[in-house]
Amino acid sequence: MRRHRFVTPTWLALWAGLAALVAGVTIWATAPSASFGWFAYAPLAGAVFDPVTHSWQQVVGPLVAVAGAVVAAFAAGRLSVRRR
């Protein structure tokens, strides 16, 4: 029985990690920019108004990209020390 070289779980993890990395970057890059306007200006009020207007793509994209990078890095490290 012949075992295929690129069908091991480590290779599958590497390709899945790279796919998640690309998907995360794509989701984050295509996220719509924040659309808000400053409707009031109070320079002497002493309070800072910092609106947090993130779309789901701006939150999920980097998370998926980082998770994919971590999985791909672990798989690449495991493949780099494997015997032939």
Side-chain angles (χ1 to χ4, degrees):
M1 183 169 171
R2 185 170 179 234
R3 184 174 164 187
H4 296 287
R5 182 175 180 183
F6 299 114
V7 189
T8 63
T10 306
W11 277 101
L12 293 176
L14 177 68
W15 291 117
L18 291 175
L21 177 66
V22 170
V25 169
T26 303
I27 289 171
W28 183 57
T30 60
S33 61
S35 62
F36 61 88
W38 299 104
F39 55 87
Y41 179 66
L44 301 175
V48 177
F49 178 68
D50 188 20
V52 180
T53 56
H54 297 296
S55 65
W56 68 270
Q57 292 100 333
Q58 291 173 331
V59 175
V60 172
L63 292 176
V64 171
V66 167
V70 168
V71 169
F74 277 115
R78 185 174 163 100
L79 287 171
S80 69
V81 297
R82 201 168 86 178
R83 290 185 187 171
R84 306 240 175 221

